Amino acid sequence: MERLQKIIAESGICSRRKAEELILDGKVKVNGKIVTTLGTKVSNDDIILVNDKKIKVEKKEYYLLNKPRNYICSLEDDRKRKLVTELIDTKARIYPVGRLDYDTTGLIIMTNDGALANILMHPKNKVEKTYLAKIKPCLTMEELFTLKKGIAIDNVVCYPTRVKIKKHDANKDTDLVEITIHEGRNHIIKNLFKEIHHDVLKLTRTKYAFLSIDKLQSGEYRYLTKEEVKKLYSYQIK
Ligand code: URA
């Protein structure tokens, strides 16, 4: 169930504000009855008419994508860079849940379900994300402890839930670090390492909540199952 004005706006005929005006002006019917209450909840099965024209309610779609490098997590780009939405063969107006940087690879959920996207992105729901970061120079023991204890970025401390060195290359002075966090600030992993004076040479997201990148090759995607979508919804803390 979703709010009427949201469903109308999502059908693409107008903005949410305009949809609210239309509802208040008595121009919207749900299952044959005029509805003037903002926030009335409707479902995909309800028949909604705006100015006596039926609106098309888009079916919700959910994808798990292995984002390649050099794709932008945005719906448009004035620099004409490639968009993650171009990788998925659908007519639905899907968008990425959160962002991975242009040069970051890995797991990202794409959907047109705004309610689920909000749940997953809300900090209070603490959805875990795991990254593999190739960093230079190698971490000292002290820095590893600093990272595990938490580091302030813009005065807000980010507390990784797990940090593990997966591979150490003394010759190249690089470490492959697996790090799990449950926040979604932009560039958060790069900024964490920047605070302790390390460059992130490569970054990939391997897990999101209970989902992992599995066998998906770069640029490949799959549908989420009904059970997976239900489980993602359960991340909402009441
Ligand atoms: N942290 C980053 O620095 N970049 C990403 O793309 C994701 C998390």
Side-chain angles (χ1 to χ4, degrees), residues 107-130:
L107 195 160
I108 190 149
I109 293 174
M110 308 276 295
T111 185
N112 54 353
D113 184 345
L116 182 64
N118 286 339
I119 290 171
L120 297 176
M121 289 194 292
H122 201 293
K124 77 170 181 197
N125 294 325
K126 294 193 165 33
V127 177
E128 283 197 339
K129 297 119 192 155
T130 299

PDB file of all heavy atoms in Angstrom, residues 107-130:
ATOM      1  N   LEU A 107      28.068  -4.721  -5.954  1.00  0.00           N
ATOM      2  CA  LEU A 107      26.633  -4.965  -5.758  1.00  0.00           C
ATOM      3  C   LEU A 107      25.807  -3.694  -5.523  1.00  0.00           C
ATOM      4  O   LEU A 107      26.091  -2.918  -4.625  1.00  0.00           O
ATOM      5  CB  LEU A 107      26.524  -5.900  -4.555  1.00  0.00           C
ATOM      6  CG  LEU A 107      25.229  -6.628  -4.284  1.00  0.00           C
ATOM      7  CD1 LEU A 107      25.508  -7.809  -3.394  1.00  0.00           C
ATOM      8  CD2 LEU A 107      24.222  -5.722  -3.684  1.00  0.00           C
ATOM      9  N   ILE A 108      24.801  -3.553  -6.335  1.00  0.00           N
ATOM     10  CA  ILE A 108      23.852  -2.455  -6.106  1.00  0.00           C
ATOM     11  C   ILE A 108      22.443  -2.931  -6.457  1.00  0.00           C
ATOM     12  O   ILE A 108      22.260  -3.674  -7.424  1.00  0.00           O
ATOM     13  CB  ILE A 108      24.256  -1.173  -6.879  1.00  0.00           C
ATOM     14  CG1 ILE A 108      23.401   0.008  -6.428  1.00  0.00           C
ATOM     15  CG2 ILE A 108      24.219  -1.345  -8.394  1.00  0.00           C
ATOM     16  CD1 ILE A 108      24.087   1.342  -6.484  1.00  0.00           C
ATOM     17  N   ILE A 109      21.488  -2.527  -5.629  1.00  0.00           N
ATOM     18  CA  ILE A 109      20.090  -2.876  -5.892  1.00  0.00           C
ATOM     19  C   ILE A 109      19.482  -1.783  -6.748  1.00  0.00           C
ATOM     20  O   ILE A 109      19.706  -0.590  -6.504  1.00  0.00           O
ATOM     21  CB  ILE A 109      19.303  -3.026  -4.573  1.00  0.00           C
ATOM     22  CG1 ILE A 109      19.823  -4.238  -3.799  1.00  0.00           C
ATOM     23  CG2 ILE A 109      17.799  -3.172  -4.829  1.00  0.00           C
ATOM     24  CD1 ILE A 109      19.222  -4.393  -2.422  1.00  0.00           C
ATOM     25  N   MET A 110      18.710  -2.185  -7.749  1.00  0.00           N
ATOM     26  CA  MET A 110      18.025  -1.229  -8.621  1.00  0.00           C
ATOM     27  C   MET A 110      16.528  -1.548  -8.534  1.00  0.00           C
ATOM     28  O   MET A 110      16.134  -2.710  -8.653  1.00  0.00           O
ATOM     29  CB  MET A 110      18.475  -1.415 -10.074  1.00  0.00           C
ATOM     30  CG  MET A 110      19.970  -1.407 -10.281  1.00  0.00           C
ATOM     31  SD  MET A 110      20.652   0.232 -10.428  1.00  0.00           S
ATOM     32  CE  MET A 110      19.912   0.786 -11.935  1.00  0.00           C
ATOM     33  N   THR A 111      15.735  -0.529  -8.337  1.00  0.00           N
ATOM     34  CA  THR A 111      14.287  -0.758  -8.193  1.00  0.00           C
ATOM     35  C   THR A 111      13.500   0.504  -8.522  1.00  0.00           C
ATOM     36  O   THR A 111      14.085   1.589  -8.625  1.00  0.00           O
ATOM     37  CB  THR A 111      13.954  -1.210  -6.737  1.00  0.00           C
ATOM     38  OG1 THR A 111      12.576  -1.531  -6.658  1.00  0.00           O
ATOM     39  CG2 THR A 111      14.265  -0.144  -5.713  1.00  0.00           C
ATOM     40  N   ASN A 112      12.192   0.349  -8.667  1.00  0.00           N
ATOM     41  CA  ASN A 112      11.305   1.508  -8.759  1.00  0.00           C
ATOM     42  C   ASN A 112      10.409   1.562  -7.513  1.00  0.00           C
ATOM     43  O   ASN A 112       9.393   2.234  -7.500  1.00  0.00           O
ATOM     44  CB  ASN A 112      10.445   1.454 -10.031  1.00  0.00           C
ATOM     45  CG  ASN A 112       9.676   0.156 -10.150  1.00  0.00           C
ATOM     46  OD1 ASN A 112       9.876  -0.767  -9.360  1.00  0.00           O
ATOM     47  ND2 ASN A 112       8.802   0.063 -11.130  1.00  0.00           N
ATOM     48  N   ASP A 113      10.804   0.816  -6.477  1.00  0.00           N
ATOM     49  CA  ASP A 113      10.029   0.769  -5.235  1.00  0.00           C
ATOM     50  C   ASP A 113      10.643   1.755  -4.226  1.00  0.00           C
ATOM     51  O   ASP A 113      11.595   1.430  -3.521  1.00  0.00           O
ATOM     52  CB  ASP A 113      10.056  -0.669  -4.692  1.00  0.00           C
ATOM     53  CG  ASP A 113       9.199  -0.816  -3.445  1.00  0.00           C
ATOM     54  OD1 ASP A 113       8.820   0.209  -2.843  1.00  0.00           O
ATOM     55  OD2 ASP A 113       8.915  -1.962  -3.063  1.00  0.00           O
ATOM     56  N   GLY A 114      10.056   2.951  -4.205  1.00  0.00           N
ATOM     57  CA  GLY A 114      10.585   4.012  -3.347  1.00  0.00           C
ATOM     58  C   GLY A 114      10.505   3.669  -1.870  1.00  0.00           C
ATOM     59  O   GLY A 114      11.381   4.038  -1.087  1.00  0.00           O
ATOM     60  N   ALA A 115       9.450   2.930  -1.489  1.00  0.00           N
ATOM     61  CA  ALA A 115       9.285   2.594  -0.068  1.00  0.00           C
ATOM     62  C   ALA A 115      10.440   1.702   0.377  1.00  0.00           C
ATOM     63  O   ALA A 115      11.050   1.927   1.429  1.00  0.00           O
ATOM     64  CB  ALA A 115       7.952   1.891   0.139  1.00  0.00           C
ATOM     65  N   LEU A 116      10.780   0.725  -0.439  1.00  0.00           N
ATOM     66  CA  LEU A 116      11.888  -0.167  -0.069  1.00  0.00           C
ATOM     67  C   LEU A 116      13.217   0.606  -0.093  1.00  0.00           C
ATOM     68  O   LEU A 116      14.042   0.455   0.818  1.00  0.00           O
ATOM     69  CB  LEU A 116      11.968  -1.377  -1.007  1.00  0.00           C
ATOM     70  CG  LEU A 116      13.078  -2.350  -0.638  1.00  0.00           C
ATOM     71  CD1 LEU A 116      12.825  -2.982   0.736  1.00  0.00           C
ATOM     72  CD2 LEU A 116      13.249  -3.451  -1.681  1.00  0.00           C
ATOM     73  N   ALA A 117      13.401   1.429  -1.111  1.00  0.00           N
ATOM     74  CA  ALA A 117      14.650   2.206  -1.198  1.00  0.00           C
ATOM     75  C   ALA A 117      14.835   3.051   0.066  1.00  0.00           C
ATOM     76  O   ALA A 117      15.935   3.109   0.633  1.00  0.00           O
ATOM     77  CB  ALA A 117      14.636   3.090  -2.444  1.00  0.00           C
ATOM     78  N   ASN A 118      13.750   3.663   0.546  1.00  0.00           N
ATOM     79  CA  ASN A 118      13.853   4.482   1.759  1.00  0.00           C
ATOM     80  C   ASN A 118      14.231   3.650   2.974  1.00  0.00           C
ATOM     81  O   ASN A 118      15.039   4.073   3.797  1.00  0.00           O
ATOM     82  CB  ASN A 118      12.528   5.200   2.048  1.00  0.00           C
ATOM     83  CG  ASN A 118      12.322   6.334   1.073  1.00  0.00           C
ATOM     84  OD1 ASN A 118      13.271   6.828   0.475  1.00  0.00           O
ATOM     85  ND2 ASN A 118      11.079   6.735   0.886  1.00  0.00           N
ATOM     86  N   ILE A 119      13.647   2.473   3.084  1.00  0.00           N
ATOM     87  CA  ILE A 119      13.967   1.592   4.220  1.00  0.00           C
ATOM     88  C   ILE A 119      15.456   1.256   4.188  1.00  0.00           C
ATOM     89  O   ILE A 119      16.166   1.343   5.191  1.00  0.00           O
ATOM     90  CB  ILE A 119      13.124   0.294   4.169  1.00  0.00           C
ATOM     91  CG1 ILE A 119      11.664   0.608   4.472  1.00  0.00           C
ATOM     92  CG2 ILE A 119      13.672  -0.762   5.132  1.00  0.00           C
ATOM     93  CD1 ILE A 119      10.703  -0.553   4.245  1.00  0.00           C
ATOM     94  N   LEU A 120      15.936   0.871   3.011  1.00  0.00           N
ATOM     95  CA  LEU A 120      17.325   0.406   2.919  1.00  0.00           C
ATOM     96  C   LEU A 120      18.324   1.539   3.149  1.00  0.00           C
ATOM     97  O   LEU A 120      19.420   1.315   3.661  1.00  0.00           O
ATOM     98  CB  LEU A 120      17.570  -0.261   1.560  1.00  0.00           C
ATOM     99  CG  LEU A 120      16.740  -1.531   1.315  1.00  0.00           C
ATOM    100  CD1 LEU A 120      16.985  -2.068  -0.084  1.00  0.00           C
ATOM    101  CD2 LEU A 120      17.070  -2.599   2.360  1.00  0.00           C
ATOM    102  N   MET A 121      17.923   2.753   2.787  1.00  0.00           N
ATOM    103  CA  MET A 121      18.874   3.864   2.901  1.00  0.00           C
ATOM    104  C   MET A 121      18.803   4.590   4.237  1.00  0.00           C
ATOM    105  O   MET A 121      19.681   5.362   4.565  1.00  0.00           O
ATOM    106  CB  MET A 121      18.662   4.848   1.747  1.00  0.00           C
ATOM    107  CG  MET A 121      19.134   4.260   0.425  1.00  0.00           C
ATOM    108  SD  MET A 121      19.271   5.478  -0.864  1.00  0.00           S
ATOM    109  CE  MET A 121      17.594   5.924  -1.150  1.00  0.00           C
ATOM    110  N   HIS A 122      17.741   4.310   5.011  1.00  0.00           N
ATOM    111  CA  HIS A 122      17.606   5.058   6.266  1.00  0.00           C
ATOM    112  C   HIS A 122      18.635   4.574   7.290  1.00  0.00           C
ATOM    113  O   HIS A 122      18.694   3.383   7.604  1.00  0.00           O
ATOM    114  CB  HIS A 122      16.194   4.904   6.841  1.00  0.00           C
ATOM    115  CG  HIS A 122      15.877   6.007   7.799  1.00  0.00           C
ATOM    116  ND1 HIS A 122      16.541   6.134   8.998  1.00  0.00           N
ATOM    117  CD2 HIS A 122      15.030   7.041   7.712  1.00  0.00           C
ATOM    118  CE1 HIS A 122      16.099   7.210   9.627  1.00  0.00           C
ATOM    119  NE2 HIS A 122      15.183   7.776   8.869  1.00  0.00           N
ATOM    120  N   PRO A 123      19.458   5.499   7.839  1.00  0.00           N
ATOM    121  CA  PRO A 123      20.520   5.081   8.761  1.00  0.00           C
ATOM    122  C   PRO A 123      20.018   4.270   9.952  1.00  0.00           C
ATOM    123  O   PRO A 123      20.703   3.370  10.420  1.00  0.00           O
ATOM    124  CB  PRO A 123      21.126   6.400   9.253  1.00  0.00           C
ATOM    125  CG  PRO A 123      20.603   7.453   8.352  1.00  0.00           C
ATOM    126  CD  PRO A 123      19.400   6.929   7.627  1.00  0.00           C
ATOM    127  N   LYS A 124      18.791   4.552  10.425  1.00  0.00           N
ATOM    128  CA  LYS A 124      18.312   3.840  11.628  1.00  0.00           C
ATOM    129  C   LYS A 124      18.153   2.338  11.375  1.00  0.00           C
ATOM    130  O   LYS A 124      18.170   1.539  12.305  1.00  0.00           O
ATOM    131  CB  LYS A 124      17.008   4.463  12.142  1.00  0.00           C
ATOM    132  CG  LYS A 124      15.809   4.068  11.342  1.00  0.00           C
ATOM    133  CD  LYS A 124      14.497   4.469  11.971  1.00  0.00           C
ATOM    134  CE  LYS A 124      13.395   3.972  11.057  1.00  0.00           C
ATOM    135  NZ  LYS A 124      12.120   4.480  11.189  1.00  0.00           N
ATOM    136  N   ASN A 125      17.983   1.944  10.120  1.00  0.00           N
ATOM    137  CA  ASN A 125      17.780   0.527   9.827  1.00  0.00           C
ATOM    138  C   ASN A 125      19.085  -0.265   9.722  1.00  0.00           C
ATOM    139  O   ASN A 125      19.057  -1.494   9.606  1.00  0.00           O
ATOM    140  CB  ASN A 125      16.935   0.362   8.565  1.00  0.00           C
ATOM    141  CG  ASN A 125      15.524   0.887   8.782  1.00  0.00           C
ATOM    142  OD1 ASN A 125      14.981   0.753   9.883  1.00  0.00           O
ATOM    143  ND2 ASN A 125      14.948   1.519   7.784  1.00  0.00           N
ATOM    144  N   LYS A 126      20.192   0.456   9.746  1.00  0.00           N
ATOM    145  CA  LYS A 126      21.521  -0.169   9.858  1.00  0.00           C
ATOM    146  C   LYS A 126      21.759  -1.361   8.915  1.00  0.00           C
ATOM    147  O   LYS A 126      22.160  -2.453   9.367  1.00  0.00           O
ATOM    148  CB  LYS A 126      21.766  -0.614  11.307  1.00  0.00           C
ATOM    149  CG  LYS A 126      21.872   0.535  12.300  1.00  0.00           C
ATOM    150  CD  LYS A 126      22.413   0.026  13.610  1.00  0.00           C
ATOM    151  CE  LYS A 126      22.889   1.037  14.571  1.00  0.00           C
ATOM    152  NZ  LYS A 126      22.420   2.303  14.769  1.00  0.00           N
ATOM    153  N   VAL A 127      21.505  -1.141   7.648  1.00  0.00           N
ATOM    154  CA  VAL A 127      21.739  -2.210   6.671  1.00  0.00           C
ATOM    155  C   VAL A 127      23.256  -2.327   6.426  1.00  0.00           C
ATOM    156  O   VAL A 127      23.918  -1.341   6.107  1.00  0.00           O
ATOM    157  CB  VAL A 127      21.010  -1.898   5.342  1.00  0.00           C
ATOM    158  CG1 VAL A 127      21.307  -2.964   4.297  1.00  0.00           C
ATOM    159  CG2 VAL A 127      19.512  -1.776   5.586  1.00  0.00           C
ATOM    160  N   GLU A 128      23.774  -3.538   6.595  1.00  0.00           N
ATOM    161  CA  GLU A 128      25.232  -3.721   6.463  1.00  0.00           C
ATOM    162  C   GLU A 128      25.660  -3.817   5.003  1.00  0.00           C
ATOM    163  O   GLU A 128      24.973  -4.425   4.184  1.00  0.00           O
ATOM    164  CB  GLU A 128      25.655  -5.008   7.171  1.00  0.00           C
ATOM    165  CG  GLU A 128      25.699  -4.859   8.664  1.00  0.00           C
ATOM    166  CD  GLU A 128      26.496  -5.963   9.348  1.00  0.00           C
ATOM    167  OE1 GLU A 128      26.692  -7.039   8.759  1.00  0.00           O
ATOM    168  OE2 GLU A 128      26.913  -5.722  10.497  1.00  0.00           O
ATOM    169  N   LYS A 129      26.812  -3.200   4.721  1.00  0.00           N
ATOM    170  CA  LYS A 129      27.411  -3.296   3.394  1.00  0.00           C
ATOM    171  C   LYS A 129      28.858  -3.699   3.572  1.00  0.00           C
ATOM    172  O   LYS A 129      29.548  -3.136   4.428  1.00  0.00           O
ATOM    173  CB  LYS A 129      27.382  -1.944   2.671  1.00  0.00           C
ATOM    174  CG  LYS A 129      26.000  -1.405   2.399  1.00  0.00           C
ATOM    175  CD  LYS A 129      25.812  -0.092   3.085  1.00  0.00           C
ATOM    176  CE  LYS A 129      24.362   0.311   3.077  1.00  0.00           C
ATOM    177  NZ  LYS A 129      24.031   1.218   4.162  1.00  0.00           N
ATOM    178  N   THR A 130      29.304  -4.656   2.775  1.00  0.00           N
ATOM    179  CA  THR A 130      30.690  -5.114   2.886  1.00  0.00           C
ATOM    180  C   THR A 130      31.447  -4.748   1.607  1.00  0.00           C
ATOM    181  O   THR A 130      30.938  -4.946   0.502  1.00  0.00           O
ATOM    182  CB  THR A 130      30.739  -6.633   3.123  1.00  0.00           C
ATOM    183  OG1 THR A 130      30.054  -6.896   4.341  1.00  0.00           O
ATOM    184  CG2 THR A 130      32.160  -7.142   3.230  1.00  0.00           C
TER     185      THR A 130
END
